[in-house]
Every structure is written in C-alpha cells, then in structure tokens.
Amino acid sequence: MQGLAPSSKLSLTVVVVVFLLGMAGAAHGLTRVVANSPDEPCMNMTLYYHDILYNGNNTANATTAAATKPTALATTYWKNSTYFGALMVFNDPMTVGRALPLAGEEPAARAQGFYFYDKQESLTSWFGFSIVFNSTANKGTLNLVGADLMGDATRDFSVVSGTGDFFMARGVATIRTDAIEGLYYFRLQMDIKLYECYV
Amino acid sequence: MQGLAPSSKLSLTVVVVVFLLGMAGAAHGLTRVVANSPDEPCMNMTLYYHDILYNGNNTANATTAAATKPTALATTYWKNSTYFGALMVFNDPMTVGRALPLAGEEPAARAQGFYFYDKQESLTSWFGFSIVFNSTANKGTLNLVGADLMGDATRDFSVVSGTGDFFMARGVATIRTDAIEGLYYFRLQMDIKLYECYV
Amino acid sequence: MQGLAPSSKLSLTVVVVVFLLGMAGAAHGLTRVVANSPDEPCMNMTLYYHDILYNGNNTANATTAAATKPTALATTYWKNSTYFGALMVFNDPMTVGRALPLAGEEPAARAQGFYFYDKQESLTSWFGFSIVFNSTANKGTLNLVGADLMGDATRDFSVVSGTGDFFMARGVATIRTDAIEGLYYFRLQMDIKLYECYV
C-alpha cells in the first residue's frame, strides 16, 4: 500500500464526457470535463480516514489534537458531553484499505485540517481539510468542507476544488463511519466522486 | 413554518438556461444549468439566520458558544473590544420569516459552522458553515465561506458547493444585518442566489 | 501603491475564451469565461501577503493574533515546537510590491481569515481566508482554502469562489515563502490565476 500506485487499486475511474468546446491551447494535453448528471462522475475513489486523537500518552502515534476544550454549554445538556465548541486539528493518514499504514509505510494520502463539534443536543461536527497526495501515483490536493451529521448513516462533504493532479476538480465525498474504538480512534470511509475534472 | 414546504413560501425560483450539451445518461433526470450572467440565477431563496449566543444562563435556547476568548490584542484598542480572535461555533436555526421557530417547530434549515472576529480596529468576522436542509421539501446542504464586513450595509458570502437537493450548486449569498438585540442575539438576512445548479 | 489602480501594475491579464453559449440576458454586460486548460487563465495577479504577529508589544502594527496555544502534542516532538493546534487569526495587508504599506497608505487588498498549524513532526498549516479588495480599481472578494505545505518550495491554495468584481471566480493561488523575519513576521508571494471568470 505504498501510495496509490496502480489506479486499479484506487478503483479510480475516469469517464470522459468532453465539453464540446474548442480544444485550442490545451498545451498540457488537459481537457476540461464536466459531468452532465450525478450518474456520471469523471473520477471515483474510496479512501479511509483514520483519526487518532492525542490522549496524553500516545505522542508517537497521535495525529489529531484538541485545540480548544468543549464550552460550558456542551456539558450542561449531556453528562458525557456533545463536545460543543471543541476544535480538533488533524494530520491524519488516509489509506486505500481499512488497515492503518504499517510502521514506516507511507499512507495513500494525508488529510490535513480541522473539525469541531457544533451542537448542544447531539454529536455533530463541521470539517474543513485538504487531502494531500504525495506519491509517485498522485501529487496534488483535494479541498473539502462540509457538515458531518454524525447521526446519519451517510452524509456528504463537498470537494470544493483541487490542485496538481486534481487541478480545479469539484465533487462530493460521501462519508460513512466505518469504526469507532473508544474515545481516541475513529475511521471514516470516504467515497469521493468528482464531477468536474481536467483530464 | 414546518420546513420549507411550499416552494412559493421560499420565494424559490428556478430559471432553466440549459447547457447545450448531450443529455445522454441523465438517469436522475437532472441537468446541469449554468447562468450566463449575474442577472440570471438558476435558484433564489431568502432565509433568516438567528444567532443566539450562550450567556451562561440560557442553556435551553443558546445555539452559539464561544470556543476561544478574544486575544489580548482585541482589548488593547477598544475598551469594549472588537473580539479579535474570538471563535464562535454555532448550530443556528434559519427561517423563512423573521420570527424564531415556535417551541417544537422545526426551522426551515440549520446553519452549522463557525465565525471568528478578525480585526483589531473594527468589528469584522469570517464565516465557514453549512446550511443543512432536512425537511420534506428540501434535503441537502449548501456550503458557504466568506468575510462578513460588518461595517458594510450588505456583503457577500460565497456558496462554494452543495449536496443532496443542492448537488454541486454554486452561488452568492448577500447578507444584511436585520436585527441586533444586546450582546447575545443577532439576525442576518441571507439572499441566496445560485448560478450553477442541477435541476 | 494606492490600491490596485492601473491594472498593469497588478500584471492582471484577462484572456477571453468565451463559452459558445447564448448571450441573451447578459444585462450587466458580463459573460462567463472558462479556461480550456491550465495554460489559459482568464485572470492573473501577484500579491504579497504580510503576516505581522502580535508579540505582546506591537499593538499598533500587529495584524495577526494567536487564538489558541499549541497543544501539548506540539511540544513533545520538537523542543522549539511545531505549534500543532495553534490557531492564528489575521487581517493582513496584501501589496503589489514587497514593501509594507507606508503609514496611512491603503494596501491593495486585505487578507482576512485564519491558519492553524496541523502537524506534530514538521511545520505545516491550513488556511481559510478572503482577499478583500476595496479600492477604486477593485471591489469584491476572493475566497481561498488550502494546505500550506511549508516544506515545499511552492504549494497551491484553491480560489474556491469570489464576489463583486470577482463574481463566481475559481482558480489556483501558488504560494512561495518570500521572507521570514524572526518569529513575528513572514511574507508570502501569491501568484493567483483564475480559470473561471465573468468578464
């Protein structure tokens, strides 16, 4: 699992539905592709996001840390808290399969950004982050924002743009909680579909 | 005011200016629409955003809480502070009219996200949030970011993307401060115009 | 350097590659332009971003302040810290040349937003901000997000949208660290290329 290497591993599919525009000047050999409908993404991939929270004792492994404490409001409603106002900053590995990278192994990508809990009555959060690819197979970033409505079986983030291999991309990432282990680890499955690409 | 129910209530207008592209594969029956100009949004709506800040005593009603205090820099300039550095996290009701939802009534949508004050000399802030629709009339999210230049009569946020009923939408939300009541409540009118839609 | 005044100063280039669509209704005289390839931006500009951090004694000049302290995790790895979890809020001047604005001089634009450090082992950060133009030459905002991979010679932010003169713009901003002076000042060169414009 060294990076995304063969695109088959990534189950990455490129569907070319080219805009009927002049192709003059496409010196990089790149052409803009825009999906006609939600059924025709121009690129597909599934990645797993591993959030390993700092618990005070896991300095070597932790990739997420709390920048702020929950507000007083978070603890008044539930004894166990909904963490309202807790801001978490992360630099999390993303992998093609469910397993964490082995020691010394590079993940397929890293998710760099933040989330914070934003409701008094229930667990819900908001994310802003980049998926940073830096392997022989892929270089570049995808930038995402969106609400993580944790009570829903699936929920959607927006891929608002991209750089490098993902130049000017747009799309949707559908999120599913794949595992929760105690208070300090959770894993999200992210099915990323791009509807605007340069290919 | 149970959700957005009749779209007339939302003053939602859909103008179809279809891209002259092949329609093959539009299995969802959705077609991409891009406005030719700022005069031709493909969707329009007005919603009111209610920010009800936690004041230490309003646990049952508060929907916003301060995650950080203003920095030392915020209080050196003005005695009453410009709150520079204060990060506020919110899960605010949004309504079609100006009134707050009645007890037990669902708002048209919820705004989930954050703002923070970002200037020493004057009140100005920056927002990142999702408008989450979860009614019989509308399901999905709009994701917005932008500077709230509070000294201006109106200012614009960007709608950077959307999901669900607002799949891949883009547009502009024009903001106007509609009411300020003391230190713990303000209401913004948001005129949202989308210029890229799938309809 | 009063604002962006003559566009030549900004080295702003507008390349018109008009979409072959009906022009009906373009009452503002604006037309949507989308680049066919990364070689054909519809607008170009270079601006310098000046980050002047509050050090406890520079109230008159500081434009950035720390809203949170680095987490415990940030200091366990490096004695000098990678600042993991430190959230910085800014309202920084942006200029056409490298020099800071003279006293009383308006900068070409202001960058309003935040960054935070997001890794234990090395210096890397994540930005969300607006470039706010308010001169006779330009009015409006560009909204950007992205990872600042500080170890790379250049790195890319995404311009996710714009308002006013930059209505619905999209593009890429390539960042280069242009100067670092001690712990309380750094300057970034931002080469901004837009690939979607209304002109």
Side-chain angles (χ1 to χ4, degrees):
Chain A
M1 206 197 329
Q2 304 297 81
L4 305 185
S7 65
S8 58
K9 257 173 142 183
L10 229 196
S11 74
L12 181 148
T13 319
V14 176
V15 184
V16 181
V17 188
V18 178
F19 252 38
L20 299 172
L21 290 168
M23 300 297 157
H28 278 120
L30 293 180
T31 306
R32 187 163 184 264
V33 173
V34 178
N36 282 324
S37 90
D39 301 312
E40 297 174 348
C42 46
M43 207 182 285
N44 259 331
M45 64 178 103
T46 293
L47 288 171
Y48 292 89
Y49 164 101
H50 305 266
D51 200 68
I52 309 163
L53 186 60
Y54 181 54
N55 65 12
N57 292 309
N58 58 348
T59 301
N61 295 321
T63 56
T64 303
T68 67
K69 292 185 182 168
T71 64
L73 187 54
T75 47
T76 52
Y77 195 87
W78 271 10
K79 242 188 298 187
N80 292 333
S81 178
T82 54
Y83 306 105
F84 192 151
L87 171 67
M88 318 301 285
V89 172
F90 59 80
N91 199 304
D92 285 343
M94 295 192 78
T95 54
V96 175
R98 285 183 164 84
L100 279 166
L102 298 177
E105 198 183 36
E106 283 301 310
R110 298 200 76 90
Q112 304 188 198
F114 70 104
Y115 61 88
F116 55 86
Y117 294 94
D118 61 4
K119 197 166 188 181
Q120 188 187 159
E121 298 85 358
S122 57
L123 279 168
T124 177
S125 58
W126 200 87
F127 278 68
F129 65 107
S130 301
I131 303 179
V132 178
F133 297 84
N134 187 21
S135 67
T136 46
N138 292 92
K139 289 198 194 304
T141 63
L142 289 172
N143 292 315
L144 295 90
V145 298
D148 185 1
L149 308 168
M150 295 159 67
D152 295 355
T154 65
R155 50 273 183 192
D156 289 334
F157 291 159
S158 290
V159 180
V160 294
S161 200
T163 69
D165 288 355
F166 305 99
F167 175 75
M168 294 289 285
R170 291 184 73 224
V172 174
T174 299
I175 310 302
R176 198 178 58 76
T177 304
D178 194 58
I180 300 178
E181 296 176 10
L183 290 172
Y184 297 105
Y185 175 77
F186 66 84
R187 184 171 64 234
L188 301 177
Q189 180 182 323
M190 296 197 186
D191 292 326
I192 301 168
K193 293 185 180 176
L194 303 180
Y195 298 96
E196 300 187 19
C197 308
Y198 279 77
V199 293
Chain B
M1 206 194 329
Q2 305 296 82
L4 303 186
S7 65
S8 59
K9 257 175 145 182
L10 230 195
S11 75
L12 181 148
T13 320
V14 176
V15 185
V16 181
V17 189
V18 178
F19 253 37
L20 300 172
L21 289 169
M23 299 298 157
H28 278 121
L30 293 180
T31 306
R32 186 162 183 264
V33 173
V34 179
N36 281 324
S37 89
D39 301 312
E40 297 173 349
C42 46
M43 207 182 284
N44 261 331
M45 65 178 102
T46 293
L47 289 171
Y48 292 90
Y49 163 101
H50 304 267
D51 200 69
I52 309 162
L53 186 61
Y54 182 53
N55 65 11
N57 292 310
N58 58 348
T59 301
N61 296 322
T63 56
T64 303
T68 67
K69 292 184 181 169
T71 64
L73 188 55
T75 48
T76 52
Y77 195 86
W78 270 9
K79 243 189 297 188
N80 291 332
S81 177
T82 54
Y83 306 105
F84 193 150
L87 171 67
M88 317 302 285
V89 172
F90 60 79
N91 198 304
D92 284 345
M94 295 192 78
T95 54
V96 174
R98 284 182 165 84
L100 279 165
L102 298 177
E105 199 183 36
E106 281 302 308
R110 298 199 77 90
Q112 305 188 198
F114 69 104
Y115 62 89
F116 55 87
Y117 293 94
D118 62 4
K119 197 166 189 182
Q120 189 187 158
E121 298 85 358
S122 58
L123 279 169
T124 177
S125 58
W126 201 88
F127 278 69
F129 65 107
S130 301
I131 303 179
V132 179
F133 297 85
N134 187 21
S135 67
T136 45
N138 292 92
K139 289 197 194 305
T141 65
L142 289 172
N143 293 315
L144 295 88
V145 299
D148 185 0
L149 308 168
M150 295 159 68
D152 294 355
T154 64
R155 49 275 184 193
D156 289 334
F157 292 158
S158 290
V159 180
V160 295
S161 201
T163 67
D165 287 356
F166 306 99
F167 176 74
M168 294 288 286
R170 289 184 73 225
V172 175
T174 300
I175 310 301
R176 198 177 58 75
T177 304
D178 193 58
I180 300 179
E181 296 176 9
L183 290 172
Y184 298 105
Y185 175 77
F186 67 85
R187 183 172 64 234
L188 301 177
Q189 180 183 322
M190 296 197 186
D191 292 325
I192 301 168
K193 293 183 181 177
L194 303 180
Y195 298 96
E196 299 187 20
C197 308
Y198 279 78
V199 293
Chain C
M1 205 195 330
Q2 303 300 77
L4 304 186
S7 65
S8 59
K9 257 173 143 183
L10 230 196
S11 75
L12 180 147
T13 319
V14 176
V15 185
V16 181
V17 190
V18 178
F19 252 38
L20 300 172
L21 290 169
M23 300 297 156
H28 277 121
L30 293 180
T31 306
R32 186 161 184 265
V33 173
V34 179
N36 282 324
S37 90
D39 301 312
E40 297 173 349
C42 46
M43 207 182 285
N44 260 331
M45 64 178 103
T46 294
L47 288 170
Y48 292 89
Y49 164 101
H50 304 267
D51 200 69
I52 310 164
L53 187 60
Y54 182 54
N55 66 11
N57 293 309
N58 59 348
T59 302
N61 295 320
T63 56
T64 303
T68 66
K69 292 185 181 168
T71 63
L73 187 55
T75 47
T76 52
Y77 195 86
W78 271 10
K79 242 190 296 189
N80 292 332
S81 179
T82 53
Y83 306 105
F84 193 150
L87 171 66
M88 317 301 285
V89 172
F90 59 80
N91 199 303
D92 285 342
M94 296 192 78
T95 54
V96 174
R98 284 183 163 83
L100 279 166
L102 298 177
E105 199 183 36
E106 282 302 308
R110 298 199 77 90
Q112 304 187 198
F114 70 104
Y115 61 89
F116 56 86
Y117 294 94
D118 62 4
K119 197 168 187 181
Q120 188 187 160
E121 298 86 358
S122 57
L123 278 170
T124 178
S125 57
W126 200 88
F127 278 68
F129 64 107
S130 301
I131 303 179
V132 179
F133 297 84
N134 187 22
S135 68
T136 46
N138 291 92
K139 289 199 194 304
T141 64
L142 289 172
N143 293 314
L144 295 90
V145 298
D148 186 0
L149 308 168
M150 295 160 68
D152 294 356
T154 64
R155 50 275 184 190
D156 290 334
F157 291 159
S158 290
V159 180
V160 294
S161 201
T163 68
D165 288 356
F166 306 99
F167 176 74
M168 294 289 286
R170 291 184 72 224
V172 175
T174 300
I175 310 301
R176 197 177 58 75
T177 305
D178 194 58
I180 301 178
E181 296 175 9
L183 290 173
Y184 297 105
Y185 176 77
F186 67 85
R187 184 171 64 233
L188 301 177
Q189 180 182 323
M190 296 197 187
D191 293 325
I192 301 169
K193 294 185 180 175
L194 303 181
Y195 298 96
E196 300 187 20
C197 308
Y198 279 77
V199 294

